[in-house]
Amino acid sequence: MRSKLPYFWDDLRTSFWFVPTLMALLAIGLAFGMVALDKAIKDQVEASWGWTYTGGPEGARAVLAAIAGSMITVAGTVFSIVIVALSLASGQFGPRLLRNFIRDRSNQFVLGTFTATFTYSLLVLRTVRGTDADQFVPAIGVAVGIVMAMASLGVLIYFIHHVAVFIQADHVIAAVSDELNDAIDTLWPDELGHEPPEPPAASALPEGFEKEAVPVAAPGSGYLAAIDHDELLGLARRHDLVVRVAHRPGHFVVRGSKLASVWPEDRLEDGLRAQLVGAFLLEPQRTAFQDVEFSVDQLVEIAVRALSPGINDPFTAVACIDRLGEALCRLAGRSVPSAFRHDEESRLRVVARPVTFGEVADAALNQIRQYGRTSVAVLIRLLASLTELAEQVRRDEDRAVLEHHADLVLEAARQALPQEMDRTAVERRHAVFLVALRKETKSPTP
């Protein structure tokens, strides 16, 4: 449950309706509060408060009706602009980038501002009475409505600027990169040199696990969005089990396929099986909540689309390579979480599927190299990023991953570039990478 609640909160704040709905509810409370205040201090308002509305009932109705009508019209216009921006983003950057546009707080706040102003004006309007026997004009309420309308005008001006900036490629790439870096900080919190000591218990599976462990089947099909490792660990500890997770977040799971293997079989009752299944959250689409490769794939998709013959924009691809190199540099300085989770008595309980540096590097570099093999600028920038990475990695296995990718880039250049001069440029950059890699290999590991 600890992992699911943050996921549901992340899913809620990603929705386009949550913030506008919350602001509309606040506007309802504000409307009732201002009307109640008007009724409570009506005489003092009329005598000394010069900033409140001083017109009659007809004027108050006209002002509030104008505000309500204009706000709902502008809200419809804003929604139309957002839909157009989403369509452009889907065509240029890919449909998986729509989530980033929808979860943008500024767009949600702008739509919520107009919705709240409309709701407030409508509710205050219904309290205006103008008969001879009973006359009531909420002076404070009308004044606050005018202030909200002026603030909405400023929000509209900001929104026009924000949309113009937000759909630019560099801004989109930077937003995805920030989400990727946040995911790395969350899933790889420990820096190299600060690892907690490995528990003294055996990190090997119990004898007979491979033959005696029973599978826990998936109740449906979908992408594994999150795994509640705390819940799994608690269940394994309470029932004296060993659980090996079969997938990591981001994998597609087919109904009836294995989610996990549990040992021993005689302790796995139907109720416990349902509890174990409940620790796995399946969704129809991937998210970046526990899936670092999802954000990596988003940047790769932007780069691959930019390298397509229809767009042919290597500059956008280079920007994606820079951001991916930044994320890999951050990841190179972090400790890969252990796959083995132990209880307080150092007994092995859960075997997870952590993502390694090599897997992230493969996801980040392979497709860009494959689709950009005919672009000298892309190949050189790939080697430049690998060179910078070579200066920061501190694990021998990570250096081997970088050398493998650098060799693949060099091979692609030799096969795909027709000009000798271009191949020579890539070879020189590859030589620079090897110098940096060998230098760091000889350096003592801290």
Side-chain angles (χ1 to χ4, degrees):
M1 185 59 69
R2 293 181 183 178
S3 296
K4 288 185 177 180
L5 288 178
Y7 174 81
F8 288 130
W9 171 245
D10 181 76
D11 186 59
L12 189 65
R13 57 189 287 266
T14 301
S15 63
F16 203 53
W17 59 266
F18 176 68
V19 171
T21 302
L22 183 61
M23 294 180 68
L25 293 175
L26 293 175
I28 293 174
L30 180 63
F32 283 109
M34 291 299 100
V35 172
L37 182 62
D38 267 303
K39 292 179 178 179
I41 59 174
K42 179 180 179 182
D43 296 334
Q44 293 90 326
V45 170
E46 294 178 350
S48 59
W49 290 19
W51 56 268
T52 58
Y53 178 77
T54 56
E58 292 300 325
R61 290 193 186 98
V63 170
L64 292 173
I67 294 174
S70 60
M71 288 303 108
I72 199 64
T73 301
V74 174
T77 303
V78 167
F79 184 75
S80 300
I81 294 174
V82 170
I83 294 300
V84 172
L86 293 178
S87 301
L88 291 174
S90 177
Q92 183 175 359
F93 304 116
R96 277 154 291 279
L97 268 296
L98 292 183
R99 177 177 175 273
N100 296 75
F101 287 87
I102 293 175
R103 70 175 295 170
D104 180 62
R105 288 295 183 87
S106 296
N107 292 337
Q108 298 174 6
F109 175 77
V110 169
L111 186 59
T113 298
F114 297 124
T115 304
T117 304
F118 166 77
T119 304
Y120 175 87
S121 301
L122 204 62
L123 292 177
V124 175
L125 176 62
R126 59 183 287 274
T127 65
V128 179
R129 298 186 297 274
T131 64
D132 293 337
D134 185 13
Q135 180 172 312
F136 174 71
V137 177
I140 299 177
V142 176
V144 171
I146 295 173
V147 172
M148 292 178 66
M150 299 302 294
S152 298
L153 179 61
V155 170
L156 177 61
I157 296 173
Y158 162 77
F159 173 73
I160 295 172
H161 165 77
H162 176 72
V163 170
V165 173
F166 196 76
I167 61 176
Q168 296 178 15
D170 289 338
H171 186 93
V172 174
I173 293 170
V176 178
S177 175
D178 291 340
E179 186 177 41
L180 173 58
N181 291 331
D182 291 341
I184 291 174
D185 291 340
T186 301
L187 299 178
W188 284 273
D190 298 322
E191 296 185 1
L192 282 172
H194 299 85
E195 301 95 334
E198 186 71 20
S203 292
L205 291 170
E207 184 178 356
F209 182 92
E210 298 294 344
K211 295 181 179 180
E212 300 173 5
V214 293
V216 175
S221 299
Y223 290 98
L224 185 58
I227 302 175
D228 195 336
H229 289 288
D230 293 332
E231 179 69 14
L232 279 181
L233 185 62
L235 290 172
R237 182 177 62 251
R238 290 193 298 271
H239 298 276
D240 194 20
L241 302 172
V242 177
V243 180
R244 182 172 65 184
V245 178
H247 301 277
R248 64 169 182 263
H251 285 180
F252 186 81
V253 178
V254 179
R255 178 184 179 89
S257 63
K258 182 170 62 175
L259 283 176
S261 300
V262 180
W263 179 90
E265 179 181 4
D266 56 356
R267 296 175 189 152
L268 188 61
E269 303 174 352
D270 291 339
L272 177 58
R273 186 186 297 270
Q275 290 179 293
L276 290 171
V277 170
F280 298 85
L281 184 62
L282 297 178
E283 292 291 331
Q285 61 183 2
R286 295 173 65 184
T287 67
F289 181 67
Q290 288 185 357
D291 183 10
V292 169
E293 289 189 21
F294 175 71
S295 296
V296 172
D297 290 343
Q298 285 183 312
L299 289 174
V300 171
E301 181 177 8
I302 297 174
V304 169
R305 283 175 173 268
L307 293 172
S308 64
I311 299 177
N312 194 21
D313 180 15
F315 298 101
T316 297
V318 166
C320 293
I321 293 171
D322 292 339
R323 294 292 183 171
L324 289 168
E326 175 195 6
L328 290 174
C329 285
R330 182 185 294 262
L331 186 59
R334 303 300 175 92
S335 298
V336 178
S338 174
F340 302 98
R341 314 292 167 83
H342 302 79
D343 58 16
E344 293 82 356
E345 299 177 356
S346 298
R347 299 181 63 183
L348 179 63
R349 293 301 182 188
V350 177
V351 182
R353 287 283 303 273
V355 183
T356 64
F357 176 86
E359 291 170 330
V360 177
D362 291 343
L365 302 175
N366 280 338
Q367 290 192 59
I368 296 180
R369 184 195 72 251
Q370 293 162 2
Y371 286 91
R373 58 191 295 116
T374 59
S375 174
V376 181
V378 170
L379 296 179
I380 289 179
R381 187 55 64 94
L382 281 173
L383 289 173
S385 294
L386 290 171
T387 302
E388 186 172 355
L389 269 167
E391 297 173 352
Q392 300 193 30
V393 293
R394 287 177 276 180
R395 290 181 288 252
D396 292 337
E397 57 270 25
D398 295 348
R399 296 188 180 94
V401 169
L402 298 184
E403 186 171 9
H404 170 69
H405 281 284
D407 292 342
L408 290 177
V409 172
L410 179 60
E411 182 181 354
R414 289 172 174 171
Q415 293 178 356
L417 297 180
Q419 299 293 330
E420 178 66 27
M421 181 179 64
D422 294 337
R423 294 195 296 270
T424 301
V426 175
E427 290 172 353
R428 283 201 299 264
R429 177 59 67 174
H430 183 268
V432 173
F433 162 79
L434 290 178
V435 171
L437 185 68
R438 300 294 182 258
K439 179 181 178 181
E440 293 303 317
T441 303
K442 295 177 181 179
S443 301
T445 303

